[in-house]
């Protein structure tokens, strides 16, 4: 009696394909919340998240690992018309976000969202968000991203 072993092959994407996926599927978020335990009174967090099928998320994860970017994968349940499992991939460490954003070339995109994200990551990585001026700039970037302003200053 022979046994068959079925192995799943996890696809990986090249750098150009990965850049396209990041530009089209990744959403970058900026959270600023009141936190009285902090010196400035606010807590900031920048992260990115992408959703998809298990195979898609695993392929992105494997491709990002080739560039030294490690993420958290999780399963979330999508209730609605489809009732299927949706997987998510989250990157929240600022040094990994810096690596991810450095993969993407300087190209024009909608509402200068990419440039605003670069600036926000730069502010947090340089610890400028711990000053009142830096926090105000981060709040302005968050508003510009939320409302889709085209003017980048």
């Amino acid at each position: 009696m022979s046994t068959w072993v079925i192995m799943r092959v996890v696809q990986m994407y090249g750098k150009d394909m990965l850049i396209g996926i990041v530009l089209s599927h990744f959403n970058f978020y900026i959270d600023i919340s009141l936190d009285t335990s902090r010196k400035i009174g606010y807590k900031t967090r920048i992260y990115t998240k992408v959703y998809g099928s298990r195979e898609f998320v695993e392929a992105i994860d494997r491709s990002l690992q080739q560039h030294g970017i490690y993420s958290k994968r999780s399963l979330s349940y999508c209730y609605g018309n489809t009732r299927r499992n949706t997987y998510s991939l989250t990157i929240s460490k600022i040094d990994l976000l810096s690596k991810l954003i450095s993969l993407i070339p300087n190209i024009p995109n909608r509402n200068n969202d990419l440039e605003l994200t670069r600036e926000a990551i730069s502010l947090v990585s340089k610890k400028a968000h711990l000053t009142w001026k830096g926090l105000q700039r981060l709040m302005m970037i968050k508003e510009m991203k939320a409302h889709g302003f085209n003017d980048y200053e």
Side-chain angles (χ1 to χ4, degrees):
M1 180 179 217
S2 65
T3 58
W4 291 85
V5 177
I6 299 174
M7 296 180 66
R8 274 192 9 239
V9 177
V10 178
Q11 180 182 359
M12 288 181 21
Y13 299 114
K15 183 178 178 182
D16 292 335
M17 185 71 147
L18 187 61
I19 289 169
I21 290 170
V22 169
L23 287 173
S24 62
H25 288 19
F26 278 63
N27 293 317
F28 290 88
Y29 301 98
I30 301 172
D31 283 343
I32 302 171
S33 57
L34 189 64
D35 187 354
T36 56
S37 67
R38 309 239 177 197
K39 185 176 179 181
I40 199 159
Y42 291 92
K43 176 184 174 183
T44 60
R45 180 176 173 235
I46 300 177
Y47 64 97
T48 185
K49 191 170 251 193
V50 65
Y51 297 95
S53 67
R54 179 179 182 175
E55 293 81 17
F56 180 67
V57 169
E58 285 179 353
I60 292 173
D61 190 33
R62 177 82 47 105
S63 301
L64 288 172
Q65 286 177 9
Q66 290 236 312
H67 296 283
I69 303 169
Y70 299 93
S71 59
K72 291 184 228 173
R73 281 187 285 165
S74 64
L75 170 68
S76 56
Y77 296 98
C78 179
Y79 295 108
N81 296 338
T82 58
R83 282 186 81 79
R84 65 174 183 236
N85 296 339
T86 303
Y87 290 80
S88 67
L89 181 134
T90 305
I91 302 171
S92 58
K93 291 186 178 180
I94 199 67
D95 57 333
L96 298 178
L97 285 169
S98 296
K99 280 184 184 181
L100 178 64
I101 209 78
S102 68
L103 286 176
I104 304 169
N106 290 328
I107 55 174
N109 64 353
R110 65 179 196 278
N111 302 330
N112 292 315
D113 189 52
L114 189 59
E115 288 304 316
L116 293 170
T117 302
R118 282 184 206 276
E119 185 180 354
I121 291 171
S122 174
L123 280 171
V124 173
S125 65
K126 293 177 183 175
K127 307 280 187 207
H129 68 291
L130 299 176
T131 65
W132 186 244
K133 186 177 178 181
L135 182 65
Q136 285 179 326
R137 181 63 187 156
L138 198 59
M139 287 180 182
M140 187 183 305
I141 291 170
K142 180 179 177 176
E143 281 297 311
M144 289 169 73
K145 284 174 63 75
H147 296 294
F149 292 118
N150 289 322
D151 296 330
Y152 179 74
E153 300 171 2

